[in-house]
Amino acid sequence: MGTSNSSIQIERVAFPSDGATLVGQLYRPAAANSDRLAAVIVTGAWGTVKEQMPAGYARETASRGYAALTFDFKGWGESDGRPRSMEDPFAKAADISAAAEYLASRSDIDHDAIGGLGICASAAYMATAATKTDLIKSLALIAPALPSPSTVTEHLGGVDGATALRDAAREAHRAYEATGKELLVPAVPPAAENPEPGADYYTNPDRGNVPEWGNTFNPASWLTWFEYDAQAAAPNLRQPLLTVHSDAAASPESVKEFVAQVPQVTDIWLDGVSQFDFYDQPDAMTTSCDAAVRHFTSTMSPGH
């Protein structure tokens, strides 16, 4: 039985993915006007859990009449699976496909009207998943990060920086294989040591520093991250696509490169909105969610 407020019901759910059990929350409008609702899978930024930016977007989406599923990826948050805290794009894309299969199995969800809303790094994983499953019918990517291997190398210190990260990844992997214990490091430094623009979101308990977030990152993640090409999904997408971004947010050039390769795309650019404003600031969220719901409504059949 789910918890509720005046307009939204929240049900704790679990479903399988590649031998692991993923734990999620299904947000539903309390006054649903259909037995079978259209649904949206909502996923968040690099290294985050379902109680951070996915929860805010799920509530906003449910308040506009959709069911919205958030979940912890394998090895994160409440979900099981090891090694922990792996930012593995391929595994996370597979988890998104598993989430779509779970929604399609429910009698209260219209399996012909399942969309995907990905924020930041998981926007790339959402696009990759959409090329692997026909269950995801439409995509909305909010403040997406869509790097190619060359841009990842460029942004992480060039060839020398990439080599150092790969070496650290191999060492973390060897340590795990030898001891069965993950070598975890802080995903975000403490506020006093952190000059980065996103410091307030991740260090402020009124924003993203929620109790459910462990602030851990597994350096072994770099082994798969450097192999991943988010841009590769673009020419293979058949679903209608919405992107909402800003030149003041992360990696705008990657978004422009991506949408240029997609046949069905609506591309919205906001002025002066930072990456971290998209995560939880009311104006950016309202604009993004309004656009996403318009997109899903126009591109997916409603539940009946």
Side-chain angles (χ1 to χ4, degrees), residues 82-86 164-185 217-223:
R82 295 188 65 190
R84 305 294 294 177
S85 301
M86 285 288 291
L165 289 173
R166 285 192 176 97
D167 289 343
R170 293 187 186 99
E171 179 56 33
H173 179 70
R174 282 194 293 267
Y176 178 71
E177 290 289 300
T179 68
K181 295 181 179 180
E182 294 89 346
L183 178 62
L184 303 180
V185 299
F217 173 73
N218 192 327
S221 303
W222 296 116
L223 290 174

Side-chain angles (χ1 to χ4, degrees), residues 60-226:
E60 291 289 327
T61 305
S63 73
R64 290 159 171 80
Y66 283 74
L69 175 65
T70 65
F71 66 93
D72 288 321
F73 289 103
K74 184 167 52 264
W76 293 90
E78 293 186 275
S79 294
D80 61 26
R82 295 188 65 190
R84 305 294 294 177
S85 301
M86 285 288 291
E87 194 63 34
D88 182 337
F90 306 101
K92 287 192 168 187
D95 288 346
I96 292 169
S97 294
E101 292 171 6
Y102 167 71
L103 285 175
S105 75
R106 289 182 61 114
S107 62
D108 56 350
I109 299 298
D110 184 349
H111 66 262
D112 290 322
I114 297 172
L117 190 158
I119 305 157
C120 191
S122 77
Y125 316 152
M126 188 68 71
T128 297
T131 67
K132 306 294 184 182
T133 176
D134 293 333
L135 291 172
I136 299 174
K137 306 299 185 183
S138 184
L139 293 178
L141 308 184
I142 310 299
L146 302 164
S148 65
S150 61
T151 57
V152 168
T153 297
E154 179 184 346
H155 291 158
L156 292 174
V159 173
D160 290 344
T163 298
L165 289 173
R166 285 192 176 97
D167 289 343
R170 293 187 186 99
E171 179 56 33
H173 179 70
R174 282 194 293 267
Y176 178 71
E177 290 289 300
T179 68
K181 295 181 179 180
E182 294 89 346
L183 178 62
L184 303 180
V185 299
V188 177
E193 305 170 13
N194 193 347
E196 296 299 321
D200 184 64
Y201 178 82
Y202 286 107
T203 60
N204 186 340
D206 293 327
R207 298 188 69 192
N209 191 11
V210 298
E212 297 85 357
W213 180 57
N215 189 20
T216 56
F217 173 73
N218 192 327
S221 303
W222 296 116
L223 290 174
T224 52
W225 184 254
F226 279 111

Side-chain angles (χ1 to χ4, degrees), residues 254-271:
S254 73
V255 181
K256 295 170 184 177
E257 180 182 356
F258 191 91
V259 300
Q261 305 175 70
V262 178
Q264 300 181 70
V265 61
T266 302
D267 192 20
I268 297 175
W269 290 80
L270 306 183
D271 291 331

